Amino acid sequence: MASEQLNPLILPDNDGNFGKHGGKIGHPELAKALAEIEQGFRAIIRDDEFINEMKRLQTTYVGRPSPIYQARTLSKRGAQIYLKREDLNHTGAHKINHCLGEVLLAKKLGKKKVIAETGAGQHGVALATASALLGIECEIHMGVVDIAKEHPNVSRMKILGAKIVPVSAGAGTLKEAVDSAFDAYIKAPADSMFAIGSVVGPAPYPEMVAYFQSIIGHEARDQFQQLYGGLPDEVIACVGGGSNAIGLFNAFLDDKEVALVGVEPAGEGLDKPGRHAATMTLGKFGNIQGFNCYYLQEEDGTPAAVHSIASGLDYPGVGPQHCHLKDTGRGRYETATDAECLEAFMALSREEGIIPALESSHAIAYALRRAAELGSDKRLLVNLSGRGDKDIDYVLDKIGL
């Protein structure tokens, strides 16, 4: 892993901006704390000891590289569908990629605790795992709605030694969990580090999380060429905050013949305000939680209520890199409804024997729809960002099995 891994097209300027999106926080005390994190991040990614330790853990602990699998049964629909199997990582998702980096950074900075938010619980589990491995306290803030919905992941976090802070404010989901975690961090920045779970928030988080997730795309690009003699026609990933998607997209940015497709939640319908989280499709520009991006807003500019069947996508904003990719036309952003997501979840489970996370099922839903539109000579690479263990009981209840 080298600092040059990230393509310059999605590196921020000195003020943390990707085009007009992103930026640094204005809160004086928090700005000072985040500057310390940014300086530490820029130092460790040039430190041979850190790089070697990350490579060792990625190989022997996470189980990288994650393979690419051709979904031959699903591919009978038309275009060939391939899966980047991030669900096979230790902890079951892509989140472990940046959590190891964040906890190693916290240790390097002499912090005693990491504080974070989680929606579906995958970031919480991964951070609790890295914290247990590296011997540091871990505090996870999680909305009460998501705690009830994602109980298996809550149990995992508790077993791993994390302190769970239930958040009942507002909708009791991901946005409120982020607010609560930031509030806790502001009270003790000297002894703790905020370890955000996606490419959102003020600088340096979007760049830092993207850096650690960039291993997905670099692996996938090399693997696909070696296995299939060329590049895919489209690379596809679900988008909430956007970390798994940027992790896949970054290595293909200069390959203009490869479409970059993010799939966000249409929930119960784009015509139903408060019942979807289609930020890129219907959001407006503004500032949310310390950074500029497109986000779903009320008339007064406050974040609107959002919904997704997938807790990890239930967020009114999106990472500034994605906003910039949309502005420049390099990225395309589609949607999938809750119903399409459930259909894709069951299709992958019953036709390929792979139970996906509901988040990842949005990307599968688009791929199935797209495959039917294209010929069998076209190739779609989907980032299967997580496995669906956490969602099984919820899905069974939803479909009445």
Side-chain angles (χ1 to χ4, degrees):
M1 179 182 292
S3 59
E4 291 79 13
Q5 272 191 326
L6 281 183
N7 189 295
L9 291 176
I10 55 167
L11 285 175
D13 62 22
N14 291 334
D15 294 319
N17 292 304
F18 302 82
K20 66 179 182 180
H21 306 278
K24 296 187 175 182
I25 202 159
H27 187 287
E29 187 177 355
L30 195 51
K32 181 179 179 181
L34 295 189
E36 179 193 18
I37 293 172
E38 182 173 0
Q39 291 167 7
F41 165 65
R42 301 208 181 283
I44 63 169
I45 61 175
R46 292 170 174 80
D47 183 273
D48 288 341
E49 182 180 350
F50 169 80
I51 292 169
N52 291 334
E53 180 67 356
M54 277 294 289
K55 286 180 177 178
R56 182 185 72 83
L57 292 173
Q58 287 165 344
T59 302
T60 64
Y61 192 70
V62 179
R64 304 208 70 93
S66 62
I68 288 180
Y69 166 75
Q70 184 175 6
R72 295 186 177 184
T73 303
L74 294 185
S75 297
K76 292 177 181 178
R77 287 163 167 79
Q80 301 304 297
I81 298 174
Y82 302 83
L83 308 177
K84 177 61 170 165
R85 296 291 307 277
E86 290 296 290
D87 61 308
L88 295 180
N89 292 343
H90 180 46
T91 72
H94 70 291
K95 297 291 188 180
I96 191 68
N97 298 329
H98 68 257
C99 285
L100 283 173
E102 288 180 330
V103 175
L104 283 169
L105 172 58
K107 294 275 287 186
K108 192 79 171 180
L109 294 174
K111 305 301 182 182
K112 298 177 182 178
K113 178 168 69 173
V114 287
I115 300 172
E117 84 301 334
T118 196
Q122 288 301 121
H123 174 60
V125 168
L127 194 69
T129 298
S131 298
L133 172 69
L134 297 169
I136 192 171
E137 292 179 44
C138 180
E139 179 177 302
I140 302 295
H141 294 241
M142 190 172 188
V144 292
V145 171
D146 295 332
I147 287 175
K149 186 176 175 182
E150 306 290 1
H151 182 70
N153 274 347
V154 176
S155 299
R156 290 185 181 94
M157 286 184 273
K158 289 180 178 178
I159 288 171
L160 290 161
K163 175 185 176 182
I164 311 297
V165 178
V167 181
S168 57
T173 55
L174 183 55
K175 176 194 172 293
E176 290 76 23
V178 174
D179 289 336
S180 177
F182 253 121
D183 287 345
Y185 173 55
I186 291 171
K187 294 175 183 176
D191 295 326
S192 62
M193 188 182 107
F194 187 79
I196 207 161
S198 193
V199 286
V200 296
Y205 290 109
E207 179 188 2
M208 184 168 72
V209 173
Y211 173 84
F212 292 126
Q213 290 295 345
S214 68
I215 192 169
I216 300 172
H218 290 284
E219 279 183 6
R221 191 177 185 280
D222 290 343
Q223 289 170 319
F224 206 93
Q225 290 182 101
Q226 291 173 16
L227 291 169
Y228 306 111
L231 295 173
D233 294 285
E234 298 185 11
V235 293
I236 303 159
C238 65
V239 174
S243 60
N244 93 92
I246 285 297
L248 178 64
F249 292 174
N250 70 80
F252 295 92
L253 285 169
D254 287 338
D255 301 309
K256 301 303 183 185
E257 70 277 21
V258 179
L260 311 180
V261 184
V263 186
E264 57 182 2
E268 296 172 4
L270 297 178
D271 59 340
K272 297 181 180 179
R275 302 308 298 166
H276 64 77
T279 303
M280 299 292 278
T281 305
L282 296 174
K284 299 177 181 178
F285 179 77
N287 188 279
I288 182 175
Q289 296 179 323
F291 73 107
N292 295 318
C293 68
Y294 294 120
Y295 70 97
L296 296 169
Q297 306 177 24
E298 301 290 359
E299 290 186 5
D300 63 358
T302 58
V306 291
H307 159 81
S308 172
I309 197 171
S311 295
L313 305 182
D314 198 0
Y315 184 67
V318 66
Q321 294 101 316
H322 288 291
C323 299
H324 183 57
L325 289 175
K326 177 184 177 180
D327 287 352
T328 60
R330 184 64 187 94
R332 189 171 86 241
Y333 293 86
E334 305 283 350
T335 64
T337 65
D338 287 352
E340 290 173 317
C341 172
L342 281 173
E343 289 175 8
F345 180 100
M346 296 306 297
L348 187 58
S349 298
R350 293 190 168 178
E351 297 181 37
E352 298 287 351
I354 300 171
I355 302 175
L358 285 171
E359 291 75 18
S360 313
S361 297
H362 285 75
I364 297 295
Y366 166 80
L368 295 178
R369 193 167 73 223
R370 184 64 169 154
E373 299 170 354
L374 301 173
S376 60
D377 61 324
K378 298 298 183 180
R379 302 185 293 191
L380 310 178
L381 175 61
V382 180
N383 195 18
L384 192 64
S385 57
R387 64 176 180 243
D389 305 31
K390 65 186 179 60
D391 298 315
I392 289 173
D393 291 339
Y394 178 80
V395 169
L396 288 175
D397 182 65
K398 290 290 288 186
I399 64 178
L401 280 183

